[in-house]
Amino acid sequence: YNVYIFMTKDYGENWKAIRNGIPDSAGTVHVVREHPSDENLLFAGTEFGLWVSWDRGANWTALKNNLPTVPVDDIEIQAQQNDLVLATHGRSIWIFDDLTPIEKFDDKVQKSDITFFTPRPATLWDLRRRRWSAGQKMFTAKNPPYGAILDYYLKEGVPPETAKAEKGEAKKETAAADQQAKADETAKKEGKAKISVYDKDGKLVREFDGPGKAGVNRTNWDLRWESPAVPTPEQIAAAAAGVDFGPKGTVGEPGKYTIKIKAGTKEATQEVVVEDDPRMQMSPADRAARRAAIDQLYALAKTADKDRKTIEGIKEGLKTAREQWKKDAGKPDMPKIPEEIQKAADELQKQVD
């Protein structure tokens, strides 16, 4: 047994071995596939993994990306979505969603400080889950990240931000965020890229962080706008534990959006097209009415969150003051709190509880 891959340019008259980079330990080669839009991009499935070549087989590199060491028996490149589909023995069907970063990865990309690969169109899928009616028969694999998949290359990793001492409410708000950072070991080694989303009118509708390691990074925009409420420490802690919990922004509208990725002092921009679910039919008038109603509810939720913080601040202040009064009671060097002030505090406590 050995690694055998050959290429011919004269319809079989002469053959050339093209296995440089694939060690004998890779095992038998089961399949070789050429990318439908780039003849130089080849994929080879062997008994012990997957290999990729950007120069028509002159050199090969192992392709991992969370693919375990398993036999790759067949390869299909889904041309419409540009997905790489593998038939494996051990992980069944394994899919690498959107091959764009692999397809476009060349010397120019490697020499650049930052490259933002063109995102493919994103769809506002109207999802419905009905697993409760299928019993034990339901089997589903993990879907691709919802929304727009964002791939970008960084020549150098983003340095981690220096923690700053904070006081009062700001310190409380960041307590759970610190827990999330500690839970993610990579957060200690790298900073984050800043991602901004703008609508067709140039209005900023969303900001979030993306991975900032050196090399190719992948994250996704979930097609939602900024949340009207800041997550509580408990909600941030739940999200860090993998629970989909906490306030979310409204779902955006179909159309073109501009996405800017900033890594340190370097920036890159791309456009992404958001398409409506093709199964959904909505007139422009109905869509405008829905957006107007959503905007009203968004403003209401934002006001409610502001009021919540105000009430929580009052409750915390009252609690602190009353506890201090109890500690100071009876001390000869401390003035006595007037009875009317204590009654007013008790009344206010009842109102905010």
Side-chain angles (χ1 to χ4, degrees), residues 151-288:
D151 296 302
Y152 50 95
Y153 169 81
L154 301 179
K155 189 175 183 179
E156 297 179 355
V158 180
E161 294 182 1
T162 303
K164 297 180 180 179
E166 300 184 55
K167 297 181 180 180
E169 187 65 24
K171 185 176 181 180
K172 180 181 177 181
E173 290 288 340
T174 57
D178 291 340
Q179 294 179 12
Q180 183 175 3
K182 291 178 182 178
D184 186 359
E185 289 296 327
T186 60
K188 300 178 182 178
K189 303 176 183 179
E190 66 189 36
K192 297 292 184 180
K194 306 299 180 182
I195 302 176
S196 305
V197 182
Y198 301 85
D199 66 10
K200 60 181 178 61
D201 298 320
K203 177 185 176 183
L204 179 64
V205 295
R206 182 73 182 277
E207 287 183 306
F208 59 97
D209 292 341
K213 72 178 187 300
V216 177
N217 295 272
R218 169 168 286 188
T219 187
N220 69 297
W221 170 42
D222 60 5
L223 308 184
R224 290 182 178 273
W225 293 1
E226 207 67 62
S227 170
V230 177
T232 65
E234 294 77 15
Q235 290 167 340
I236 295 176
V243 179
D244 188 13
F245 185 62
K248 294 182 179 180
T250 61
V251 176
E253 298 293 332
K256 288 185 178 181
Y257 292 82
T258 300
I259 299 181
K260 181 175 72 175
I261 296 178
K262 184 175 182 180
T265 59
K266 308 299 180 181
E267 296 182 0
T269 303
Q270 286 282 5
E271 277 192 352
V272 62
V273 176
V274 176
E275 302 172 342
D276 206 358
D277 190 327
R279 303 166 300 174
M280 303 294 292
Q281 300 295 327
M282 184 180 297
S283 69
D286 288 342
R287 188 177 297 280

Side-chain angles (χ1 to χ4, degrees), residues 26 30 45-51 64 66-73 86-92 94:
H30 298 306
T46 73
E47 184 67 16
F48 296 106
L50 178 68
W51 301 79
K64 296 292 186 180
N66 297 322
L67 175 67
T69 301
V70 292
V72 177
D73 297 320
L86 308 181
T88 77
H89 184 80
R91 286 299 181 270
S92 188
W94 188 92

Side-chain angles (χ1 to χ4, degrees), residues 94-106:
W94 188 92
I95 301 174
F96 182 95
D97 300 293
D98 193 1
L99 275 172
T100 300
I102 294 178
E103 180 187 359
K104 303 300 181 183
F105 195 77
D106 54 20

